[in-house]
Amino acid sequence: MVYISKKGIVTGSIIAIISLLIACEKLMPKAPADDSILDGPVEGLTPEQSVQFLRGDVAFNDEVFTPETGLGPLFVATSCGTCHAGDGKGHPFTTLTRFGQTDSTGNKFLDAGGPQLQHRAIYNYQPEQIPAGATFSKFMPPANTGLGFLDAVTDADLLALADPQDLNGDGISGKPNWITIPDYLAIRANAAIQNGKYIGRFGKKAAAYDLLHQTVNAYNQDMGIASAYEPYDTYNHQEVDPEVSNQTVIDVVVYLKTLKAPIQRTPGNPDVQAGKKLFTQIGCAKCHIPEMKTGASSINALSNKTFAPYTDLLLHDMGTGLDDGYTEGTATTAEWRTPPLWGLGLSRNSQGGQYFLLHDGRAKSIEEAILLHGGEAHQSKDHFQQLSAADKARLIKFLESL
Protein backbone atom coordinates (compact mmCIF):
# COMPACT_ATOMS: atom_id res chain seq x y z
CA MET A 1 0.00 0.00 0.00
CA VAL A 2 1.39 3.44 -1.04
CA TYR A 3 1.21 6.09 1.65
CA ILE A 4 0.65 9.72 0.47
CA SER A 5 1.15 12.52 2.99
CA LYS A 6 -1.31 15.43 3.39
CA LYS A 7 1.39 17.72 2.01
CA GLY A 8 1.65 15.54 -1.05
CA ILE A 9 -2.14 15.62 -1.55
CA VAL A 10 -2.22 19.41 -1.31
CA THR A 11 0.72 19.81 -3.70
CA GLY A 12 -0.86 17.43 -6.15
CA SER A 13 -4.17 19.27 -5.99
CA ILE A 14 -2.49 22.61 -6.65
CA ILE A 15 -0.64 21.19 -9.65
CA ALA A 16 -3.88 19.72 -10.98
CA ILE A 17 -5.73 23.05 -10.59
CA ILE A 18 -2.92 24.98 -12.29
CA SER A 19 -2.86 22.46 -15.14
CA LEU A 20 -6.64 22.79 -15.52
CA LEU A 21 -6.44 26.58 -15.61
CA ILE A 22 -3.69 26.49 -18.25
CA ALA A 23 -5.72 24.05 -20.32
CA CYS A 24 -8.84 26.24 -20.03
CA GLU A 25 -6.86 29.34 -20.99
CA LYS A 26 -5.66 27.60 -24.14
CA LEU A 27 -9.25 26.74 -25.04
CA MET A 28 -10.62 30.22 -24.42
CA PRO A 29 -10.63 32.75 -27.28
CA LYS A 30 -8.16 35.61 -27.00
CA ALA A 31 -9.43 39.02 -26.00
CA PRO A 32 -9.94 41.26 -29.05
CA ALA A 33 -7.35 43.92 -29.73
CA ASP A 34 -8.21 47.38 -28.37
CA ASP A 35 -8.17 48.87 -31.87
CA SER A 36 -10.73 46.34 -33.12
CA ILE A 37 -13.53 47.26 -30.69
CA LEU A 38 -15.24 50.48 -29.67
CA ASP A 39 -16.07 49.49 -26.09
CA GLY A 40 -13.74 50.20 -23.17
CA PRO A 41 -12.92 53.12 -20.86
CA VAL A 42 -10.42 55.93 -21.37
CA GLU A 43 -7.14 55.49 -19.56
CA GLY A 44 -6.55 57.24 -16.25
CA LEU A 45 -9.94 56.94 -14.53
CA THR A 46 -9.96 56.95 -10.74
CA PRO A 47 -11.25 53.80 -8.97
CA GLU A 48 -14.52 55.61 -8.22
CA GLN A 49 -14.90 56.67 -11.86
CA SER A 50 -14.16 53.10 -12.99
CA VAL A 51 -16.90 51.75 -10.74
CA GLN A 52 -19.33 54.35 -12.10
CA PHE A 53 -18.30 53.43 -15.65
CA LEU A 54 -19.25 49.82 -14.92
CA ARG A 55 -22.59 50.80 -13.38
CA GLY A 56 -23.34 52.90 -16.44
CA ASP A 57 -22.27 50.05 -18.73
CA VAL A 58 -24.78 47.73 -17.05
CA ALA A 59 -27.58 50.32 -17.22
CA PHE A 60 -26.83 51.12 -20.85
CA ASN A 61 -26.27 47.64 -22.25
CA ASP A 62 -28.04 45.21 -19.93
CA GLU A 63 -31.15 46.95 -18.59
CA VAL A 64 -34.16 46.05 -20.73
CA PHE A 65 -37.36 47.89 -19.85
CA THR A 66 -40.79 46.27 -19.69
CA PRO A 67 -44.26 47.76 -19.07
CA GLU A 68 -43.77 46.79 -15.42
CA THR A 69 -40.58 48.89 -15.18
CA GLY A 70 -41.94 51.88 -17.07
CA LEU A 71 -41.59 51.09 -20.77
CA GLY A 72 -43.80 53.22 -23.01
CA PRO A 73 -46.69 53.13 -23.42
CA LEU A 74 -45.22 54.36 -26.73
CA PHE A 75 -41.61 53.65 -27.49
CA VAL A 76 -38.94 52.99 -30.11
CA ALA A 77 -36.69 50.52 -28.27
CA THR A 78 -36.64 48.65 -24.97
CA SER A 79 -33.02 49.42 -24.02
CA CYS A 80 -30.16 51.78 -24.82
CA GLY A 81 -28.09 48.92 -26.18
CA THR A 82 -30.79 48.02 -28.72
CA CYS A 83 -29.73 50.91 -30.94
CA HIS A 84 -25.98 50.92 -30.16
CA ALA A 85 -24.73 47.34 -30.41
CA GLY A 86 -21.14 47.21 -29.18
CA ASP A 87 -21.37 51.01 -28.76
CA GLY A 88 -21.29 51.30 -32.55
CA LYS A 89 -23.61 52.78 -35.16
CA GLY A 90 -27.18 51.58 -35.48
CA HIS A 91 -28.86 49.61 -38.26
CA PRO A 92 -31.80 50.64 -40.50
CA PHE A 93 -34.02 48.52 -38.22
CA THR A 94 -33.13 50.80 -35.28
CA THR A 95 -33.27 54.12 -37.12
CA LEU A 96 -35.26 56.87 -35.41
CA THR A 97 -37.76 59.12 -37.19
CA ARG A 98 -38.12 62.80 -36.30
CA PHE A 99 -40.90 64.95 -37.72
CA GLY A 100 -42.67 68.28 -37.62
CA GLN A 101 -40.19 71.18 -37.75
CA THR A 102 -39.43 72.94 -41.02
CA ASP A 103 -37.69 76.15 -39.91
CA SER A 104 -36.13 77.86 -36.89
CA THR A 105 -39.51 78.89 -35.38
CA GLY A 106 -39.98 75.56 -33.62
CA ASN A 107 -41.86 72.31 -34.00
CA LYS A 108 -45.55 72.72 -34.91
CA PHE A 109 -46.38 69.06 -34.21
CA LEU A 110 -45.46 68.69 -30.55
CA ASP A 111 -49.12 68.13 -29.66
CA ALA A 112 -49.32 65.43 -32.33
CA GLY A 113 -46.46 63.36 -30.96
CA GLY A 114 -43.47 65.29 -32.27
CA PRO A 115 -40.59 65.59 -32.49
CA GLN A 116 -39.94 61.84 -32.42
CA LEU A 117 -42.07 59.06 -33.82
CA GLN A 118 -42.71 56.26 -31.33
CA HIS A 119 -43.71 53.51 -33.73
CA ARG A 120 -44.09 50.78 -31.11
CA ALA A 121 -46.54 50.48 -28.21
CA ILE A 122 -47.34 48.22 -25.30
CA TYR A 123 -50.54 46.16 -25.23
CA ASN A 124 -53.79 48.15 -25.63
CA TYR A 125 -52.05 51.22 -27.09
CA GLN A 126 -51.66 52.26 -30.71
CA PRO A 127 -48.23 53.22 -32.08
CA GLU A 128 -47.84 56.73 -33.45
CA GLN A 129 -48.06 57.61 -37.10
CA ILE A 130 -46.56 60.64 -38.82
CA PRO A 131 -49.31 63.30 -38.95
CA ALA A 132 -50.52 64.50 -42.32
CA GLY A 133 -48.50 67.46 -43.55
CA ALA A 134 -45.49 66.81 -41.33
CA THR A 135 -42.07 66.54 -42.94
CA PHE A 136 -39.78 63.94 -41.42
CA SER A 137 -36.26 62.56 -41.47
CA LYS A 138 -34.71 59.29 -40.37
CA PHE A 139 -31.76 59.40 -37.95
CA MET A 140 -29.32 56.50 -37.75
CA PRO A 141 -28.13 55.91 -34.15
CA PRO A 142 -24.50 57.10 -33.91
CA ALA A 143 -21.53 55.33 -32.34
CA ASN A 144 -20.97 56.24 -28.69
CA THR A 145 -17.22 56.25 -28.41
CA GLY A 146 -15.07 59.28 -27.69
CA LEU A 147 -18.07 61.43 -26.78
CA GLY A 148 -16.42 62.77 -23.62
CA PHE A 149 -13.65 64.31 -25.70
CA LEU A 150 -16.17 66.05 -27.95
CA ASP A 151 -18.08 67.21 -24.87
CA ALA A 152 -14.94 68.79 -23.40
CA VAL A 153 -14.03 70.98 -26.39
CA THR A 154 -14.55 74.61 -25.45
CA ASP A 155 -17.19 76.76 -27.11
CA ALA A 156 -14.40 79.22 -28.00
CA ASP A 157 -12.62 76.53 -30.04
CA LEU A 158 -15.84 75.66 -31.89
CA LEU A 159 -16.50 79.30 -32.70
CA ALA A 160 -12.92 79.63 -33.97
CA LEU A 161 -13.73 76.95 -36.56
CA ALA A 162 -16.97 78.64 -37.65
CA ASP A 163 -17.20 80.92 -40.68
CA PRO A 164 -20.96 81.48 -41.09
CA GLN A 165 -20.53 84.22 -43.70
CA ASP A 166 -17.74 82.35 -45.53
CA LEU A 167 -15.47 85.37 -45.13
CA ASN A 168 -12.45 83.42 -46.37
CA GLY A 169 -14.29 82.58 -49.60
CA ASP A 170 -13.46 78.87 -49.65
CA GLY A 171 -17.08 77.81 -50.11
CA ILE A 172 -17.24 76.37 -46.59
CA SER A 173 -19.28 78.20 -43.96
CA GLY A 174 -19.76 76.13 -40.81
CA LYS A 175 -21.91 77.50 -38.03
CA PRO A 176 -23.08 76.38 -34.59
CA ASN A 177 -26.65 75.27 -33.99
CA TRP A 178 -27.87 77.78 -31.39
CA ILE A 179 -30.46 76.00 -29.25
CA THR A 180 -32.68 76.69 -26.25
CA ILE A 181 -31.69 74.33 -23.45
CA PRO A 182 -33.75 72.87 -20.59
CA ASP A 183 -33.37 74.25 -17.07
CA TYR A 184 -31.88 71.07 -15.60
CA LEU A 185 -28.63 71.43 -17.57
CA ALA A 186 -25.52 73.04 -16.09
CA ILE A 187 -24.03 75.68 -18.35
CA ARG A 188 -20.44 75.08 -19.43
CA ALA A 189 -17.71 77.28 -18.03
CA ASN A 190 -17.17 80.22 -20.39
CA ALA A 191 -20.16 79.14 -22.50
CA ALA A 192 -20.97 81.16 -25.59
CA ILE A 193 -24.49 82.59 -25.69
CA GLN A 194 -26.45 84.25 -28.49
CA ASN A 195 -29.94 85.66 -27.94
CA GLY A 196 -30.38 83.41 -24.93
CA LYS A 197 -29.37 80.29 -26.85
CA TYR A 198 -26.37 77.98 -26.47
CA ILE A 199 -24.25 75.88 -28.83
CA GLY A 200 -25.57 72.37 -29.43
CA ARG A 201 -23.00 69.74 -30.33
CA PHE A 202 -24.61 66.25 -30.23
CA GLY A 203 -27.15 64.69 -32.58
CA LYS A 204 -27.47 64.74 -36.37
CA LYS A 205 -28.28 68.45 -36.32
CA ALA A 206 -26.38 69.30 -33.11
CA ALA A 207 -29.66 69.82 -31.24
CA ALA A 208 -28.43 68.37 -27.92
CA TYR A 209 -26.31 70.55 -25.63
CA ASP A 210 -24.41 67.87 -23.75
CA LEU A 211 -24.52 64.17 -22.86
CA LEU A 212 -27.03 64.66 -20.03
CA HIS A 213 -29.38 66.39 -22.48
CA GLN A 214 -28.87 63.56 -24.99
CA THR A 215 -29.35 60.82 -22.39
CA VAL A 216 -32.49 62.29 -20.80
CA ASN A 217 -34.05 62.72 -24.24
CA ALA A 218 -33.19 59.14 -25.16
CA TYR A 219 -34.77 57.69 -22.03
CA ASN A 220 -37.92 59.74 -22.59
CA GLN A 221 -38.35 59.71 -26.36
CA ASP A 222 -36.76 56.37 -27.27
CA MET A 223 -38.11 54.21 -24.42
CA GLY A 224 -40.91 56.28 -22.89
CA ILE A 225 -39.07 56.35 -19.57
CA ALA A 226 -39.72 59.40 -17.39
CA SER A 227 -36.98 60.82 -15.16
CA ALA A 228 -36.87 63.67 -12.69
CA TYR A 229 -35.20 65.66 -15.46
CA GLU A 230 -38.00 64.97 -17.96
CA PRO A 231 -40.97 63.80 -15.87
CA TYR A 232 -43.51 63.59 -18.68
CA ASP A 233 -45.37 60.71 -20.29
CA THR A 234 -44.85 60.87 -24.06
CA TYR A 235 -48.38 59.48 -24.63
CA ASN A 236 -50.57 61.92 -22.69
CA HIS A 237 -47.92 64.57 -21.89
CA GLN A 238 -48.91 64.42 -18.21
CA GLU A 239 -46.33 64.71 -15.42
CA VAL A 240 -45.60 61.30 -13.87
CA ASP A 241 -43.31 59.84 -11.23
CA PRO A 242 -39.73 59.10 -12.37
CA GLU A 243 -39.24 55.60 -13.78
CA VAL A 244 -35.44 55.76 -13.71
CA SER A 245 -33.33 57.17 -10.89
CA ASN A 246 -31.14 60.26 -11.23
CA GLN A 247 -28.19 58.10 -10.17
CA THR A 248 -28.75 55.70 -13.07
CA VAL A 249 -29.08 58.56 -15.54
CA ILE A 250 -25.82 60.10 -14.30
CA ASP A 251 -24.09 56.70 -14.37
CA VAL A 252 -25.05 56.35 -18.04
CA VAL A 253 -23.80 59.87 -18.75
CA VAL A 254 -20.45 59.06 -17.12
CA TYR A 255 -20.29 55.78 -19.08
CA LEU A 256 -20.83 57.62 -22.38
CA LYS A 257 -18.41 60.36 -21.37
CA THR A 258 -15.61 57.96 -20.48
CA LEU A 259 -15.82 55.50 -23.37
CA LYS A 260 -12.45 55.54 -25.08
CA ALA A 261 -11.83 57.21 -28.42
CA PRO A 262 -11.58 54.82 -31.38
CA ILE A 263 -7.98 53.78 -32.07
CA GLN A 264 -6.72 54.12 -35.66
CA ARG A 265 -5.44 50.90 -37.20
CA THR A 266 -2.38 50.62 -39.45
CA PRO A 267 -1.57 54.35 -39.34
CA GLY A 268 1.93 53.64 -40.71
CA ASN A 269 0.72 51.82 -43.82
CA PRO A 270 2.01 53.75 -46.89
CA ASP A 271 -1.40 53.67 -48.60
CA VAL A 272 -3.11 54.90 -45.41
CA GLN A 273 -0.62 57.75 -45.14
CA ALA A 274 -1.09 58.63 -48.82
CA GLY A 275 -4.85 58.51 -48.36
CA LYS A 276 -4.62 60.90 -45.42
CA LYS A 277 -2.75 63.41 -47.59
CA LEU A 278 -5.38 63.09 -50.32
CA PHE A 279 -8.10 63.60 -47.70
CA THR A 280 -6.62 67.02 -46.94
CA GLN A 281 -5.73 67.88 -50.54
CA ILE A 282 -9.29 67.49 -51.85
CA GLY A 283 -10.73 69.56 -49.01
CA CYS A 284 -12.40 66.94 -46.78
CA ALA A 285 -10.39 68.14 -43.78
CA LYS A 286 -11.98 71.60 -43.92
CA CYS A 287 -15.08 70.17 -42.17
CA HIS A 288 -13.82 66.80 -40.93
CA ILE A 289 -11.15 68.49 -38.79
CA PRO A 290 -8.40 65.93 -38.06
CA GLU A 291 -7.33 67.27 -34.67
CA MET A 292 -9.07 68.96 -31.75
CA LYS A 293 -8.21 69.68 -28.12
CA THR A 294 -10.23 69.45 -24.94
CA GLY A 295 -10.36 72.12 -22.28
CA ALA A 296 -10.64 71.50 -18.57
CA SER A 297 -12.95 68.65 -17.52
CA SER A 298 -14.24 67.41 -14.18
CA ILE A 299 -12.76 64.07 -15.32
CA ASN A 300 -8.99 64.56 -15.35
CA ALA A 301 -8.51 61.81 -17.94
CA LEU A 302 -10.35 64.05 -20.42
CA SER A 303 -8.68 67.36 -19.56
CA ASN A 304 -6.40 69.12 -22.03
CA LYS A 305 -6.13 66.19 -24.43
CA THR A 306 -5.40 66.24 -28.17
CA PHE A 307 -7.52 63.81 -30.17
CA ALA A 308 -8.48 63.01 -33.76
CA PRO A 309 -12.28 62.97 -34.28
CA TYR A 310 -12.46 64.26 -37.90
CA THR A 311 -15.33 66.65 -37.21
CA ASP A 312 -15.83 70.34 -36.42
CA LEU A 313 -19.21 69.74 -34.68
CA LEU A 314 -20.64 72.54 -36.84
CA LEU A 315 -23.56 72.69 -39.26
CA HIS A 316 -22.94 72.68 -43.01
CA ASP A 317 -25.35 72.96 -45.94
CA MET A 318 -25.12 69.58 -47.64
CA GLY A 319 -27.28 70.41 -50.64
CA THR A 320 -30.70 69.47 -51.95
CA GLY A 321 -29.92 65.74 -52.14
CA LEU A 322 -29.68 65.50 -48.34
CA ASP A 323 -32.43 68.05 -47.63
CA ASP A 324 -35.19 66.09 -45.85
CA GLY A 325 -37.38 69.11 -45.13
CA TYR A 326 -36.99 68.61 -41.39
CA THR A 327 -34.86 70.53 -38.94
CA GLU A 328 -34.05 71.24 -35.29
CA GLY A 329 -32.92 74.41 -33.50
CA THR A 330 -31.59 77.07 -35.87
CA ALA A 331 -30.37 74.58 -38.48
CA THR A 332 -31.93 74.76 -41.91
CA THR A 333 -33.43 71.67 -43.50
CA ALA A 334 -30.31 71.05 -45.62
CA GLU A 335 -27.83 71.58 -42.78
CA TRP A 336 -26.27 68.68 -40.92
CA ARG A 337 -23.62 68.52 -38.23
CA THR A 338 -20.32 67.16 -39.53
CA PRO A 339 -20.25 63.59 -38.21
CA PRO A 340 -17.02 62.35 -36.57
CA LEU A 341 -15.24 59.88 -38.84
CA TRP A 342 -13.27 58.09 -36.12
CA GLY A 343 -14.46 54.52 -35.80
CA LEU A 344 -15.76 54.55 -39.40
CA GLY A 345 -13.87 51.39 -40.36
CA LEU A 346 -15.48 49.48 -37.48
CA SER A 347 -19.03 50.55 -38.36
CA ARG A 348 -19.82 47.32 -40.16
CA ASN A 349 -19.30 45.34 -36.93
CA SER A 350 -22.52 46.78 -35.51
CA GLN A 351 -24.38 47.11 -38.82
CA GLY A 352 -24.69 43.46 -39.81
CA GLY A 353 -21.48 43.30 -41.85
CA GLN A 354 -22.07 46.19 -44.25
CA TYR A 355 -22.09 49.96 -44.17
CA PHE A 356 -25.19 52.12 -43.67
CA LEU A 357 -23.77 55.67 -43.76
CA LEU A 358 -24.90 59.32 -43.75
CA HIS A 359 -27.57 60.58 -41.34
CA ASP A 360 -30.16 58.00 -42.39
CA GLY A 361 -28.00 55.10 -43.54
CA ARG A 362 -28.84 55.56 -47.24
CA ALA A 363 -25.20 55.12 -48.37
CA LYS A 364 -24.08 51.48 -48.55
CA SER A 365 -20.38 52.23 -49.02
CA ILE A 366 -17.88 54.96 -48.17
CA GLU A 367 -17.59 55.92 -51.84
CA GLU A 368 -21.37 56.21 -52.14
CA ALA A 369 -21.44 58.44 -49.05
CA ILE A 370 -18.82 60.74 -50.58
CA LEU A 371 -20.72 60.95 -53.86
CA LEU A 372 -23.94 61.93 -52.04
CA HIS A 373 -22.20 65.00 -50.58
CA GLY A 374 -23.46 68.29 -52.06
CA GLY A 375 -23.79 71.92 -51.05
CA GLU A 376 -20.64 73.09 -49.29
CA ALA A 377 -19.01 69.71 -49.97
CA HIS A 378 -19.58 69.59 -53.72
CA GLN A 379 -16.03 70.78 -54.54
CA SER A 380 -14.50 68.01 -52.44
CA LYS A 381 -16.81 65.50 -54.10
CA ASP A 382 -15.78 66.76 -57.53
CA HIS A 383 -12.09 66.48 -56.59
CA PHE A 384 -12.70 62.92 -55.37
CA GLN A 385 -14.31 61.98 -58.67
CA GLN A 386 -11.24 63.29 -60.51
CA LEU A 387 -8.84 61.07 -58.55
CA SER A 388 -7.39 57.97 -60.19
CA ALA A 389 -8.83 54.62 -59.14
CA ALA A 390 -5.65 53.91 -57.17
CA ASP A 391 -5.86 57.19 -55.25
CA LYS A 392 -9.57 56.66 -54.53
CA ALA A 393 -8.64 53.27 -53.05
CA ARG A 394 -5.90 54.90 -50.91
CA LEU A 395 -8.32 57.55 -49.62
CA ILE A 396 -10.92 54.93 -48.71
CA LYS A 397 -8.25 52.74 -47.09
CA PHE A 398 -7.33 55.70 -44.88
CA LEU A 399 -10.97 56.26 -43.92
CA GLU A 400 -11.38 52.57 -43.12
CA SER A 401 -8.34 52.76 -40.84
CA LEU A 402 -10.06 55.31 -38.59
Side-chain angles (χ1 to χ4, degrees):
M1 181 176 181
V2 178
Y3 173 76
I4 302 175
S5 67
K6 289 185 177 177
K7 183 177 181 180
I9 294 174
V10 171
T11 302
S13 298
I14 292 174
I15 292 173
I17 292 172
I18 292 174
S19 299
L20 183 62
L21 290 174
I22 292 174
C24 289
E25 187 174 350
K26 288 182 177 178
L27 291 173
M28 291 176 66
K30 292 182 178 178
D34 278 349
D35 63 3
S36 68
I37 57 174
L38 296 174
D39 192 10
V42 297
E43 294 183 357
L45 296 182
T46 66
E48 292 77 14
Q49 289 165 347
S50 295
V51 169
Q52 195 167 18
F53 175 89
L54 292 174
R55 287 204 308 262
D57 191 349
V58 170
F60 189 91
N61 289 302
D62 296 346
E63 184 167 14
V64 178
F65 288 98
T66 65
E68 289 72 25
T69 57
L71 178 68
L74 308 182
F75 63 97
V76 177
T78 58
S79 71
C80 304
T82 301
C83 299
H84 304 274
D87 291 304
K89 287 179 183 290
H91 185 274
F93 289 135
T94 58
T95 298
L96 307 173
T97 300
R98 300 276 180 84
F99 65 89
Q101 183 172 338
T102 58
D103 55 33
S104 61
T105 61
N107 195 310
K108 305 297 190 298
F109 289 84
L110 294 179
D111 292 335
Q116 184 158 300
L117 181 73
Q118 283 97 26
H119 64 295
R120 296 187 173 93
I122 65 174
Y123 181 66
N124 272 341
Y125 287 85
Q126 292 297 317
E128 285 183 337
Q129 295 186 351
I130 298 174
T135 59
F136 66 91
S137 184
K138 293 184 177 297
F139 287 6
M140 179 75 64
N144 296 328
T145 54
L147 298 181
F149 293 95
L150 300 176
D151 188 61
V153 176
T154 67
D155 281 0
D157 280 356
L158 295 184
L159 289 174
L161 296 172
D163 184 15
Q165 305 303 321
D166 191 20
L167 296 179
N168 64 6
D170 67 350
I172 308 295
S173 60
K175 67 180 187 182
N177 190 358
W178 296 99
I179 60 171
T180 301
I181 65 174
D183 293 337
Y184 63 77
L185 295 180
I187 307 302
R188 302 175 191 281
N190 302 313
I193 184 170
Q194 184 177 94
N195 300 323
K197 297 182 178 181
Y198 297 85
I199 297 176
R201 63 179 70 193
F202 294 106
K204 303 299 181 185
K205 286 182 175 286
Y209 182 70
D210 62 12
L211 294 172
L212 178 60
H213 193 187
Q214 185 85 345
T215 300
V216 169
N217 282 349
Y219 268 114
N220 191 245
Q221 296 181 17
D222 295 359
M223 296 174 283
I225 299 296
S227 65
Y229 302 104
E230 195 68 45
Y232 299 101
D233 186 305
T234 55
Y235 177 70
N236 57 24
H237 310 295
Q238 299 296 310
E239 187 167 343
V240 296
D241 291 335
E243 295 160 323
V244 62
S245 71
N246 285 6
Q247 183 64 60
T248 297
V249 173
I250 296 301
D251 288 345
V252 169
V253 170
V254 170
Y255 170 69
L256 295 174
K257 190 177 286 187
T258 55
L259 277 166
K260 75 177 193 292
I263 301 170
Q264 187 183 10
R265 298 164 308 289
T266 64
N269 180 288
D271 284 342
V272 170
Q273 292 180 340
K276 184 175 182 179
K277 289 181 181 177
L278 290 165
F279 182 79
T280 300
Q281 288 172 6
I282 68 173
C284 305
K286 290 182 178 179
C287 301
H288 293 284
I289 303 294
E291 185 175 289
M292 300 182 88
K293 295 180 180 178
T294 63
S297 170
S298 59
I299 297 174
N300 285 338
L302 298 174
S303 288
N304 304 310
K305 302 293 184 184
T306 299
F307 60 103
Y310 294 91
T311 176
D312 58 6
L313 297 179
L314 299 175
L315 299 172
H316 295 273
D317 186 330
M318 296 305 292
T320 55
L322 296 179
D323 185 344
D324 289 351
Y326 170 77
T327 193
E328 296 172 333
T330 56
T332 68
T333 54
E335 288 179 333
W336 299 93
R337 185 202 68 159
T338 307
L341 296 181
W342 58 7
L344 176 61
L346 300 178
S347 298
R348 288 174 293 191
N349 293 349
S350 58
Q351 295 188 311
Q354 73 171 86
Y355 286 118
F356 294 96
L357 303 176
L358 296 179
H359 66 274
D360 55 0
R362 71 179 72 177
K364 307 302 186 296
S365 70
I366 293 176
E367 181 165 356
E368 185 178 356
I370 294 171
L371 297 179
L372 285 169
H373 279 53
E376 296 176 37
H378 79 89
Q379 287 185 350
S380 294
K381 180 188 71 175
D382 292 346
H383 291 324
F384 174 79
Q385 289 178 299
Q386 293 164 12
L387 293 176
S388 68
D391 278 347
K392 286 180 181 176
R394 293 185 182 100
L395 178 57
I396 291 173
K397 189 165 186 175
F398 160 67
L399 292 171
E400 289 190 314
S401 77
L402 297 178

